[in-house]
């Protein structure tokens, strides 16, 4: 298994389809892929994938956004974490999240991460993300979570990012 790499334009149709069952709504697959491909939000981030080494099958994907709310903190947002339905429960998303964080810590000196959970937050708690206090939450259906090896969320002073 190849742990992480930046997604290429050839990967993107597959990457977008990983989330179709959750985010596709009433759109046809073609409409959904077109919407994702045209999304300015998706163009602002950097996509990462984990793939099977031999078959090159994409196993999981996510996008990382630069969030720098402060001049002296490097902050990233992790979003659109997806795994194809038939490959879920195999740990691929967990491996990808851990490896992307390790890469960003090493290459970008980043140690502050946010994500919005649209699933049971226990999944991300197992990866050491913490839920922000209810008073700091901005949305009813998506829970903002934070991860850092160095900083406690209460020790840093900046506005919680909007859903990204």
């Amino acid at each position: 298994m190849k742990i992480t790499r930046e997604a290429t334009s050839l990967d993107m149709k597959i990457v977008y389809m990983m989330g179709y069952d959750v985010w596709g709504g009433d759109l046809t697959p073609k409409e959904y892929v077109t919407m994702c491909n045209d999304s300015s939000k998706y163009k602002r981030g950097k996509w990462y994938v984990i793939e099977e080494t031999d078959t090159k099958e994409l196993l999981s994907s996510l996008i990382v956004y630069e969030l720098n709310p402060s001049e002296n903190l490097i902050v990233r947002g992790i979003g659109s974490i997806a795994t194809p339905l038939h490959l879920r429960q195999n740990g691929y998303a967990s491996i990808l999240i851990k490896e992307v964080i390790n890469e960003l810590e090493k290459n970008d000196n980043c140690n502050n991460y946010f994500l919005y959970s649209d699933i049971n937050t226990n999944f991300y708690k197992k990866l050491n993300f913490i839920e922000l206090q209810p008073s700091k939450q901005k949305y009813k259906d998506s829970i903002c979570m934070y991860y850092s090896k160095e900083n406690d969320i209460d020790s840093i002073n900046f506005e919680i990012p909007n859903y990204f």
Side-chain angles (χ1 to χ4, degrees):
M1 170 178 0
K2 188 172 182 184
I3 301 300
T4 61
R5 65 176 172 81
E6 189 173 342
T8 67
S9 58
L10 294 175
D11 296 328
M12 294 318 297
K13 181 176 180 180
I14 297 167
V15 166
Y16 295 148
M17 288 308 296
M18 285 187 199
Y20 176 69
D21 65 303
V22 177
W23 301 304
D26 294 331
L27 300 174
T28 67
K30 184 177 180 180
E31 291 170 332
Y32 178 73
V33 169
T34 299
M35 178 193 72
C36 292
N37 194 49
D38 293 343
S39 169
S40 61
K41 172 184 153 182
Y42 284 166
K43 290 175 183 174
R44 283 194 324 265
K46 186 176 190 179
W47 287 93
Y48 291 87
V49 295
I50 183 171
E51 70 181 359
E52 176 57 49
T53 306
D54 296 332
T55 65
K56 304 294 185 205
E57 178 181 17
L58 299 185
L59 306 173
S60 193
S61 65
L62 59 77
I63 191 169
V64 175
Y65 297 99
E66 292 185 19
L67 298 179
N68 304 326
S70 166
E71 288 183 22
N72 58 355
L73 284 176
I74 299 171
V75 183
R76 298 294 182 259
I78 300 173
S80 299
I81 303 162
T83 302
L85 189 58
H86 70 282
L87 294 173
R88 292 180 188 157
Q89 304 295 314
N90 289 306
Y92 298 130
S94 296
I95 292 167
L96 182 60
I97 292 166
K98 288 177 194 176
E99 290 299 319
V100 167
I101 287 173
N102 287 338
E103 181 178 313
L104 293 171
E105 286 174 343
K106 184 175 121 186
N107 296 336
D108 295 350
N109 200 30
C110 179
N111 197 25
N112 299 283
Y113 303 88
F114 285 96
L115 63 77
Y116 277 93
S117 178
D118 297 327
I119 63 172
N120 186 314
T121 57
N122 288 331
F123 176 81
Y124 299 112
K125 287 178 183 177
K126 290 177 187 174
L127 298 170
N128 296 316
F129 279 84
I130 59 164
E131 286 184 42
L132 273 58
Q133 301 170 6
S135 63
K136 293 188 176 189
Q137 295 293 338
K138 293 186 172 191
Y139 306 97
K140 180 180 157 194
D141 296 329
S142 293
I143 304 297
C144 189
M145 301 185 78
Y146 175 76
Y147 170 81
S148 177
K149 287 181 184 173
E150 295 178 3
N151 298 314
D152 181 290
I153 187 65
D154 295 324
S155 70
I156 53 178
N157 186 23
F158 57 81
E159 187 175 333
I160 305 307
N162 291 327
Y163 196 96
F164 35 85

